[in-house]
Amino acid sequence: MLRDPSVKYRPFPQIDLPDRQWPSRTITQPPRWLSTDLRDGNQALIDPMDAEKKTRLFDLLCKVGLKEIEVGFPSAGATEFDFISGLVRTRRIPDDVTIQVLTQSRRDLIEKSFESLKGAPRAIVHLYNAVSPAWRKIVFGMTRDEVRGIAIEGAKILRDCAAAQSDTDWTFEYSPETFSTAELDFSVDVCAAVMDVLQPTPDKPIIFNLPATVECATPNIYADQIEWFGRNIPNRDSVVISLHTHNDRGTGVAAAELGMMAGADRVEGCLLGNGERTGNCDLVTVALNMYTQGVDSKLDFSDIDEIVNTINYCTNIPVHPRTPYAGDLVFTAFSGSHQDAIKKGFSAQAGRNDELWEVPYLPIDPADLGRSYEAVIRVNSQSGKGGVAWVLEQDKGLKLPKRLQADFSRYVQAYADETSRELNAADIWQVFERTYLARDADRFALVDYEESGTAGQRLFVGRVSVDGQERSISGRGNGLISGVIAALGDSTGPLLDVVDYSEHAIGHGADAQAAAYVECRTAEGKTVFGVGLDTDIATASVRAVLSAANRA
């Protein structure tokens, strides 16, 4: 790499727009959406989709709610042409969906495009030619007048072909390709010339797609370009400004969002950002960004996994696990502090008296996208007590007291370090069982017991296995737990003081279990915890004390 890249590269020039309005605007309504998955996205694939995959993806796009879909480049070959004409012929296009095709500004290609749409009730024909200086000088060797002439001639052919197929309700779209690197005045000049031919009206507007064909500047500059164009194009009320951003600088989504703030009416892109080079604008991200701001995008991503799986199948491109909203790990926390914040957020959310979503680290409720909460917190050696407790609560319904959470997390982290892998719910339960619940090797195990006496003077009489031998033990206390502790102290058990006790039901109904937790201090000052599970809460309490005694 050059130590002085300025000898090879130059900064993109700023746009002279001192009174720009877009920075103070917010997005309050959705744009018109156009999916280019079947055209731009398909062109970007190593192995382009066959008819079966294109049909499957088309059906998904309709299910998501997209009303305008660019279905292909009919003049590119038989596969494209046959798929497009097949959609029309088999009447597979829903009544509220308009298909679109792309064509270069050449007579034979335009005529082929109209032929593929014969019989369609409505359709958009998208014409383009490149207008920027690099393309004019390097690719075509043409002057401004010659480039403008290509656009005008293409517009005339569009007009005449549409008149010849008057049974179809036609909409025209024109792209001054490479708009983002072209002179703004020339882009407006060419688009105005196309308007002179096609004569759009407010009731029948033309779509001007202003593509960042290659992303070459920061997204604020693209927004300036969009606002400048909107101010200077004649008959703005007869124009739909459409955005087609690419992601060469990693800001395709940001450019589209700022472009909407700058006055654009329509956004083009692909689900999950498929497209040439680094991809097109990710429509899922743009739409769900709006959703998290309380704006209905009019698109349905309530089954995000179906979308991911279909895109994987049709494009043979895996979705990165950190892809916004759609990746496998985007709602997952491994870090202890993150897990603790999320756990507290869910607890607070359950106690709210309104529906507003406010959970740390989760800008959107995973349930809105069809994701469960099970994968929100996953455990490895970096995880903290909150994360471990969350998994146990979700899997087994156990709500561990805070100090017990800290005690248990030490054992989980030790096991994670030992295995050097992520721990699943079964692993965590296994660690919990062998740490707190009765095992054959435990010194004390409950066989049976009885309780009698009055309040404040209770008698516990139990049969307990001590070191493998069944024995009868008894003790008095002001309650059941103190009676058990007294009985253990009189029978070679440890001397324990109860520091804390809690209990809760697991589930509902007659078959619900109970969980009891006890924190004790030994005569030597050691803190030990015990856990008991049983269908009877009193029995669970006895088991919890014996669990603490075993750990003492």
Side-chain angles (χ1 to χ4, degrees):
M1 295 183 68
L2 301 172
R3 296 279 64 83
D4 181 12
S6 66
V7 301
K8 189 174 184 178
Y9 304 99
R10 67 191 68 182
F12 199 91
Q14 297 289 313
I15 307 301
D16 184 17
L17 196 66
D19 59 340
R20 57 182 59 83
Q21 300 299 306
W22 65 261
S24 61
R25 295 174 182 158
T26 56
I27 298 171
T28 58
Q29 61 184 19
R32 288 170 56 175
W33 301 104
L34 173 80
S35 161
T36 62
D37 292 83
L38 295 171
R39 197 277 302 169
D40 203 336
N42 190 48
Q43 288 178 199
L45 301 179
I46 298 173
D47 299 310
M49 288 177 270
D50 58 19
E52 185 272 329
K53 289 183 175 179
K54 291 196 79 168
T55 301
R56 181 167 173 176
L57 185 50
F58 177 79
D59 290 344
L60 174 70
L61 296 170
C62 294
K63 183 178 180 181
V64 164
L66 287 149
K67 304 305 182 187
E68 297 178 9
I69 302 172
E70 193 166 69
V71 289
F73 204 140
S75 60
T79 300
E80 291 283 280
F81 184 94
D82 292 345
F83 169 71
I84 296 164
S85 60
L87 288 177
V88 176
R89 186 176 61 255
T90 61
R91 299 183 178 178
R92 197 178 189 93
I93 306 163
D95 291 340
D96 59 348
V97 171
T98 302
I99 61 172
Q100 174 173 308
V101 299
L102 180 71
T103 178
Q104 292 169 306
S105 187
R106 276 175 36 192
R107 176 175 291 277
D108 57 329
L109 305 184
I110 296 171
E111 291 175 346
K112 190 77 170 177
S113 300
F114 274 89
E115 183 183 349
S116 73
L117 295 168
K118 190 169 293 184
R122 77 203 66 80
I124 303 169
V125 182
H126 181 187
L127 177 76
Y128 76 95
N129 67 301
V131 299
S132 70
W135 266 255
R136 294 198 309 264
K137 293 184 292 186
I138 299 170
V139 180
F140 304 125
M142 289 184 174
T143 64
R144 280 191 174 197
D145 288 342
E146 290 171 317
V147 168
R148 184 191 305 102
I150 292 174
I152 292 171
E153 181 61 22
K156 290 178 179 177
I157 300 169
L158 280 186
R159 178 195 60 196
D160 296 343
C161 287
Q165 290 181 217
S166 57
D167 289 343
T168 298
D169 181 9
W170 297 106
T171 298
F172 301 124
E173 177 172 348
Y174 173 71
S175 290
E177 194 196 7
T178 64
F179 164 82
S180 59
T181 53
E183 307 94 334
L184 284 171
D185 62 335
F186 184 55
S187 293
V188 167
D189 181 30
V190 173
C191 289
V194 169
M195 292 178 75
D196 287 343
V197 174
L198 298 176
Q199 293 294 304
T201 66
D203 293 331
K204 195 70 175 175
I206 188 171
I207 301 170
F208 282 139
N209 177 42
L210 306 179
T213 305
V214 178
E215 189 176 41
C216 294
T218 50
N220 61 296
I221 289 180
Y222 184 66
D224 282 348
Q225 293 172 323
I226 300 303
E227 183 169 335
W228 195 98
F229 183 95
R231 292 188 190 186
N232 290 277
I233 191 71
N235 302 320
R236 176 65 177 89
D237 59 353
S238 299
V239 170
V240 172
I241 294 180
S242 189
L243 309 176
H244 185 113
T245 61
H246 279 260
N247 203 41
D248 300 274
R249 292 170 55 92
T251 58
V253 166
E257 291 179 325
L258 299 191
M260 282 190 280
M261 292 161 59
D265 309 294
R266 187 173 184 251
V267 172
E268 306 184 6
C270 296
L271 298 183
L272 304 178
N274 183 35
E276 293 172 296
R277 301 181 309 281
T278 55
N280 285 24
C281 176
D282 181 348
L283 296 187
V284 174
T285 299
V286 175
L288 290 178
N289 283 354
M290 295 171 55
Y291 182 85
T292 65
Q293 305 303 300
V295 178
D296 181 7
S297 70
K298 308 300 183 183
L299 300 180
D300 182 4
F301 299 120
S302 58
D303 190 351
I304 197 70
D305 289 334
E306 179 191 12
I307 293 169
V308 170
N309 293 336
T310 303
I311 295 295
N312 281 345
Y313 170 76
C314 293
T315 66
N316 201 30
I317 296 177
V319 175
H320 193 282
R322 298 296 181 188
T323 299
Y325 302 109
D328 284 343
L329 297 179
V330 297
F331 300 122
T332 301
F334 292 101
S335 161
S337 60
H338 290 205
Q339 293 174 340
D340 184 61
I342 291 171
K343 181 176 181 293
K344 290 175 179 175
F346 273 115
S347 297
Q349 195 71 25
R352 293 178 68 102
N353 57 9
D354 58 49
E355 296 183 5
L356 288 176
W357 178 255
E358 191 176 20
V359 176
Y361 294 112
L362 295 179
I364 192 173
D365 185 350
D368 289 359
L369 306 183
R371 293 270 175 91
S372 71
Y373 295 140
E374 293 177 5
V376 169
I377 291 176
R378 289 162 59 176
V379 175
N380 60 18
S381 60
Q382 299 181 87
S383 301
K385 63 181 186 299
V388 173
W390 164 268
V391 173
L392 199 59
E393 180 176 348
Q394 297 300 302
D395 185 49
K396 299 296 183 182
L398 298 181
K399 302 175 182 178
L400 306 189
K402 192 166 185 178
R403 287 170 59 83
L404 178 55
Q405 292 178 24
D407 186 70
F408 178 47
S409 70
R410 295 186 294 112
Y411 296 93
V412 174
Q413 286 179 328
Y415 187 61
D417 286 332
E418 177 188 332
T419 57
S420 298
R421 63 174 173 83
E422 179 189 347
L423 304 185
N424 58 33
D427 294 323
I428 293 170
W429 176 243
Q430 178 185 1
V431 175
F432 188 83
E433 278 191 308
R434 74 187 185 201
T435 304
Y436 300 106
L437 301 183
R439 301 170 299 169
D440 292 340
D442 285 342
R443 186 174 186 204
F444 303 101
L446 179 67
V447 178
D448 197 5
Y449 78 96
E450 292 181 355
E451 183 191 12
S452 61
T454 59
Q457 196 59 235
R458 307 297 292 175
L459 173 64
F460 169 83
V461 178
R463 284 187 293 133
V464 177
S465 174
V466 182
D467 297 327
Q469 301 294 318
E470 187 174 315
R471 296 174 54 177
S472 178
I473 64 173
S474 64
R476 291 183 181 276
N478 59 8
L480 176 60
I481 292 176
S482 59
V484 177
I485 289 175
L488 287 173
D490 292 341
S491 307
T492 69
L495 295 175
L496 299 174
D497 285 327
V498 176
V499 176
D500 188 48
Y501 171 82
S502 62
E503 63 186 42
H504 67 81
I506 305 172
H508 304 279
D511 297 330
Q513 270 201 315
Y517 312 101
V518 63
E519 178 183 350
C520 298
R521 186 173 292 112
T522 68
E524 297 77 24
K526 176 183 177 182
T527 297
V528 293
F529 294 87
V531 179
L533 303 178
D534 199 271
T535 54
D536 175 66
I537 186 59
T539 304
S541 302
V542 175
R543 294 188 188 281
V545 174
L546 294 179
S547 168
N550 286 323
R551 302 192 69 237

